[in-house]
Amino acid sequence: MEHRLVGIPELTGVPRVAVVIDVMRAFTVAAWAFSRGVERIVLASSESEALALKESHSGWLALKDGAPAAGFDAVNSPGLLRSRDFAGRTLVQKTTAGTVGALAVANAPLVLCASFVVAGPTARFLRTRDAGPVTFVVTGEGGRADEDRACAEYIGRCMAGGDVDPAPYLHRARTSRAAADLAGGLRSGYHPDDVDLCLEIDRFSFAMTARQEESLTVLRPVAVPTIPSGLR
């Protein structure tokens, strides 16, 4: 099955099925947020929109890239998020690349957001839907980020069935420019465990779908059953 990998600047038209990849760190963070009890994640187009959405909805929280800032309740770091309790809350997320990519394909009939921590469930979800060719939106570095491309290629291979060794794909991600920047402390809002947390394969058992709800683009977790090895 032929899949397409494109950067955000290369998007033309509306794909039928889009999987938006941001390994380091937006959609690793989103998965961790769901694991900590977040009910839904609203994707914002700007930090000002994120704050406006938070202010106009009682109980909503806001998250951004970079260092902590007034009005924001969390930053885009899985290591800093993993001990938080967000039970039943709505989180508004704005990041440099991941949310931008998701909003760019928000009108597609099927949109998933993914990283290594939900790669297997994402592939199984697409297989059960018989989704056909997928447009993978590689959000980092204008579509060149090797950690995102590796994750997209891994999901594509898993969609074909059979056991796929994740090790080569994780190695590419660990030796990527983004991983080096994180490990070197070149990105603010960083925890020392962030790289390792971004490279935990299938940490969670759900996929993440983005849909239009009223005027908002909303990300929600969708449980995906494990396929017995004899049926793969």
Side-chain angles (χ1 to χ4, degrees):
M1 184 180 296
E2 291 292 328
H3 304 301
R4 187 167 67 115
L5 275 67
V6 300
I8 298 171
E10 301 165 328
L11 283 166
T12 56
V14 179
R16 190 168 73 86
V17 180
V19 177
V20 187
I21 308 290
D22 191 329
V23 171
M24 296 184 186
R25 295 167 280 177
F27 298 137
T28 301
V29 165
W32 270 99
F34 287 131
S35 80
R36 303 305 301 160
V38 164
E39 179 179 327
R40 65 176 186 167
I41 296 175
V42 176
L43 306 180
S45 61
S46 65
E47 291 184 10
S48 60
E49 182 190 16
L51 290 177
L53 285 168
K54 173 190 169 179
E55 293 302 317
S56 61
H57 296 83
S58 176
W60 284 23
L61 305 172
L63 177 151
K64 65 179 282 293
D65 265 339
F72 286 90
D73 306 280
V75 295
N76 193 41
S77 161
L80 296 173
L81 202 74
R82 60 184 166 178
S83 61
R84 303 284 297 273
D85 180 5
F86 295 122
R89 306 299 286 272
T90 292
L91 181 67
V92 184
Q93 185 182 33
K94 167 65 180 87
T95 69
T96 304
T99 59
V100 175
L103 291 171
V105 293
N107 292 324
L110 178 59
V111 180
L112 291 95
C113 297
S115 62
F116 280 112
V117 296
V118 293
T122 300
R124 293 197 301 275
F125 180 93
L126 291 165
R127 286 177 63 190
T128 60
R129 291 295 184 94
D130 191 22
V134 172
T135 296
F136 287 98
V137 182
V138 177
T139 61
E141 299 178 34
R144 299 182 302 276
D146 203 33
E147 74 281 3
D148 292 344
R149 296 186 72 87
C151 185
E153 291 167 15
Y154 176 73
I155 293 171
R157 286 286 306 277
C158 289
M159 285 179 64
D163 293 323
V164 181
D165 181 6
Y169 303 93
L170 293 172
H171 176 74
R172 285 171 57 190
R174 188 173 291 279
T175 56
S176 67
R177 174 180 173 181
D181 286 351
L182 280 177
L186 300 183
R187 299 188 183 187
S188 53
Y190 166 72
H191 187 280
D193 293 341
D194 277 356
V195 172
D196 288 339
L197 292 172
C198 289
L199 300 180
E200 289 187 315
I201 194 75
D202 299 347
R203 168 83 190 219
F204 305 112
S205 60
F206 52 80
M208 301 186 294
T209 58
R211 295 188 176 94
Q212 297 298 107
E213 297 185 13
E214 298 178 351
S215 61
L216 303 174
T217 302
V218 177
L219 191 63
R220 293 184 184 271
V222 178
V224 182
T226 300
I227 299 174
S229 58
L231 299 178
R232 292 177 186 169

